[in-house]
């Protein structure tokens, strides 16, 4: 048995004391504390790994690495395209896919010429060693001979025979120096060369931003203000979510470039026509306007999609980032005090289109309807047109403002009728004003052929108040509504039907259109239809019509509050690009004080206009005093005009009056009608004397 085993089983002596034991107990491992330490360490590692600075560094490392890979891919592709016919074949397939066979034949011919030139270069390369060897032999012989000849000349000049080989030795020494320089430089160049190559590839990739978007810096990743290029447009269309479009772009040899027309600068943005491949409808692109805008790094309101005349084509207008939030310049009405209007041939300077060009609207024989949500600039846009037209002194205005906030107060003394207020009584007066326009229209229609009539603008702002009025007259005919018995509705329809032929026009401004407050027959009777921001596409169709909306008009996509004064116009009175059904116009804003100044200039062009204001229906009236009121400051007024003004002033009292009724009231007062220049008139001074001299007991009786 070994010694180890003996020692193992050997017992200590009995008198031997046991080994001393430490009285302190052995401490157990504090596992909870260790666990907490590991948890804290894990949290610290996680915090460091997810810190924004760590992410930024990681993205930077990946980005610059991807620049090198992307640059390599770009250089290889460029080299391949330059050495092969790949570029010509791509363009050839794209032209064939687009059905442009003439261009396809041209690219095929260019590719053939490239092959022939490449073949000649290769054959020259095969013959080049022999040619080079001959050239070297001949050149060497000529060179050595020349050097020896030079040495002989030097030897004769210096009378030293050793100078004969001096030129040859100089060349040998130079070659030896070049070998020495190359030997010294070659080593470092071999080591530095790869780094220079990587730097060149990185520069190419960095310039082309050949890295995923998620590793790009925040300012680049957002794409804010990024210029619109063909590749960006194609990529935006490819990622639009239309499978047929995406597949067609992948199959195109030029990666979709053949779909695009030239990108043209158009005002504060660019414009490009996109020919869609077969199987892709224009409506599929229109319905994805927001996604297209985001793919182009723009907001939705900065991209407009319209349908031009070419089949299967959409026209994209993309604004410069933030350009539509910049204000446009002041109206020419405020900057040019000599400006005059021409109803028949002129165009109202209404604002600017998206290209930045002046947008002029012709008002000649065109009924007008402008609508939009509340507080979007409807009244200001409508008033700007009226102020311009007021600078033509031949135009007569009859204005009803059913809001009554003073927006049209400057037309006092300019309009022959001015009604301001939102009550039912004001609606009644506005209705009678429109009906007086119908009476004037019918009078003109029955005039002798060849008669020329001055323009009469019957303007109703907040017309929805009239359509929604619940009041009925004594014959149980409602003033509001859209029935055949509705007075306002029928008067508007009559003017729409025949008014333009005799220059009697109806202008209406409404808000938040519905079928109830803007009946279909009335809105479709307007020749010029304009809309500010609206809430839904159905409202846009009410405002502008189906054709305009189907053609790309989208006032429902304007931003309420931010796009104040921006209108979408459907009219033949404004220059609309061929193929489009509407035009977006940013109108000039004219504030109330400036509008009053322009109105004063318009008043100065006229001899003086007496404005009739609304009166309460049913109160006592004095015919002689009313006649004096409608004559106003004019020295004399035609009896026909007096009758029209009386009917407008109080249709219930004077609407059925004729010349006989007028003559009956004036007979015996000293203010009887008389002839002036062959026409019957009523004189202001005679009326004033009649009022002053009449009996206090009512010889010019008061009636109801």
């Amino acid at each position: 048995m070994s010694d180890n085993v003996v020692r193992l089983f050997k017992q200590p002596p009995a008198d031997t004391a046991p080994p001393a034991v430490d009285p302190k107990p052995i401490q157990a491992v504090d596992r909870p504390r260790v666990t907490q330490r590991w948890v804290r360490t894990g949290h610290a590692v996680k915090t460091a790994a997810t810190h924004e600075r760590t992410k930024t560094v990681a993205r930077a490392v990946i980005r610059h690495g991807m620049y090198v890979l992307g640059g390599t891919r770009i250089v290889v592709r460029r080299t391949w395209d330059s050495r092969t016919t790949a570029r010509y074949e791509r363009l050839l397939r794209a032209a064939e896919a687009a059905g442009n066979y003439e261009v396809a034949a041209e690219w095929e011919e260019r590719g053939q010429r490239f092959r022939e030139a490449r073949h000649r270069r290769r054959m020259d390369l095969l013959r080049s060693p022999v040619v080079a060897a001959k050239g070297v032999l001949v050149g060497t012989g000529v060179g050595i001979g020349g050097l020896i000849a030079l040495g002989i000349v030097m030897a004769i000049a210096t009378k030293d025979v050793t100078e004969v080989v001096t030129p040859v030795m100089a060349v040998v020494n130079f070659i030896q120096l070049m070998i020495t320089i190359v030997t010294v430089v070659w080593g470092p160049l071999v080591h530095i060369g790869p780094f220079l190559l990587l730097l060149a590839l990185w520069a190419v990739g960095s310039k082309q931003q050949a890295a995923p978007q998620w590793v790009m810096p925040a300012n680049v990743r957002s794409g804010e203000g990024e210029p619109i290029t063909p590749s960006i447009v194609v990529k935006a269309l490819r990622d639009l979510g239309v499978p047929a479009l995406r597949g067609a772009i992948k199959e195109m040899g030029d990666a979709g470039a053949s779909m695009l027309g030239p990108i043209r600068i158009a005002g504060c943005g660019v414009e490009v026509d996109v020919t869609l491949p077969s199987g892709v409808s224009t409506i599929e692109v229109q319905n994805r306007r927001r996604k297209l805008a985001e793919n182009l790094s723009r907001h939705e309101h900065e991209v407009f999609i319209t349908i031009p005349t070419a089949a299967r084509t959409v026209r994209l207008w993309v604004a410069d980032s933030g350009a539509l939030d910049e204000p446009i310049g002041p109206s020419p009405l405020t900057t040019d005090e000599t400006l005059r209007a021409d109803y028949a041939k002129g165009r109202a300077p209404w604002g600017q289109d998206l290209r930045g060009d002046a947008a002029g609207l012709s008002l000649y024989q065109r009924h007008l309807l402008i609508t939009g949500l509340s507080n979007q600039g409807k009244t200001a846009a409508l008033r700007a047109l009226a102020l311009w037209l007021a600078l033509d002194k031949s135009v007569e205005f009859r204005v009803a403002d059913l809001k009554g906030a003073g927006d049209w107060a400057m037309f006092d003394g300019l309009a022959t009728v001015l009604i301001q207020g939102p009550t039912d009584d004001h609606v009644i007066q506005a209705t009678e004003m429109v009906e007086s326009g119908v009476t004037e229209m019918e009078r003109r229609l029955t005039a002798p052929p060849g008669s020329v009539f001055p323009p009469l603008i019957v303007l109703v702002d907040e017309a929805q108040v009239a359509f929604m009025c619940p009041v009925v007259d004594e014959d149980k005919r409602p003033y509001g509504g859209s029935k055949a018995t509705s007075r306002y509705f029928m008067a508007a329809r009559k003017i729409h039907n025949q008014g333009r032929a005799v220059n009697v026009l109806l202008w209406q401004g409404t808000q938040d259109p519905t079928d109830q407050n803007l009946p279909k027959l009335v809105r479709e009777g307007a020749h010029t239809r304009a809309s500010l921001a609206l809430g839904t596409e159905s409202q846009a169709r009410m405002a502008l019509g189906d054709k305009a909306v189907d053609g790309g008009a989208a006032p429902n996509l304007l931003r309420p509050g931010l796009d104040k004064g921006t209108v979408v116009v459907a009219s033949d009175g404004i220059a609309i690009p061929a193929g489009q059904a509407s035009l977006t116009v940013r109108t000039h804003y004219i504030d109330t004080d400036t509008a009053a100044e322009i109105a004063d200039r318009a008043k100065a062009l006229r001899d003086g206009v007496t404005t009739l204001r609304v009166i309460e229906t049913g109160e006592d009236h004095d015919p002689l005093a009313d006649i004096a009121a409608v004559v106003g400051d004019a020295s004399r007024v035609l009896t026909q005009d007096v009758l029209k003004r009386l009917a407008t002033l109080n249709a219930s009292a004077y609407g059925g009056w004729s010349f006989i009724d007028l003559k009956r009231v004036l007979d015996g007062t000293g203010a009887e009608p008389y002839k002036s220049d062959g026409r019957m008139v009523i004189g202001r001074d005679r009326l004033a004397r009649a009022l002053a001299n009449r009996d206090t007991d009512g010889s010019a009786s008061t009636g109801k």
Side-chain angles (χ1 to χ4, degrees), residues 328-344:
I328 64 174
S331 169
L333 293 175
T334 64
T335 58
D336 185 3
E337 295 186 357
T338 63
L339 185 66
R340 296 291 182 268
D342 186 339
Y343 164 75

Side-chain angles (χ1 to χ4, degrees), residues 2 22 24 34 70 133 146 365 385 399 422 425 575 616 629 635 664-665:
S2 65
D22 189 352
K24 295 181 180 180
V34 173
Q365 292 188 344
L385 297 175
V399 179
D425 288 335
E616 296 297 332
S635 60
R664 174 180 54 79
V665 171

Side-chain angles (χ1 to χ4, degrees), residues 476-556:
K476 304 301 181 181
R477 295 181 59 198
Y479 285 92
S482 57
K483 298 180 180 179
T485 56
S486 301
R487 292 181 58 177
Y488 182 87
F489 170 76
M490 291 305 299
R493 287 290 299 135
K494 288 178 181 179
I495 293 179
H496 278 166
N497 288 339
Q498 296 177 306
R500 67 179 298 271
V502 288
N503 288 330
V504 176
L505 304 178
L506 178 61
W507 291 7
Q508 296 181 98
T510 69
Q511 64 174 265
D512 202 8
T514 65
D515 283 329
Q516 289 72 37
N517 65 24
L518 187 58
K520 178 180 176 65
L521 292 178
V522 171
R523 61 183 184 245
E524 292 188 350
H527 304 99
T528 296
R529 299 167 72 173
S531 175
L532 295 102
L534 288 173
T536 64
E537 181 180 326
S538 62
Q539 286 185 317
R541 293 184 180 275
M542 291 180 191
L544 301 176
D546 292 336
K547 180 180 179 181
V549 175
D550 291 339
N556 53 301

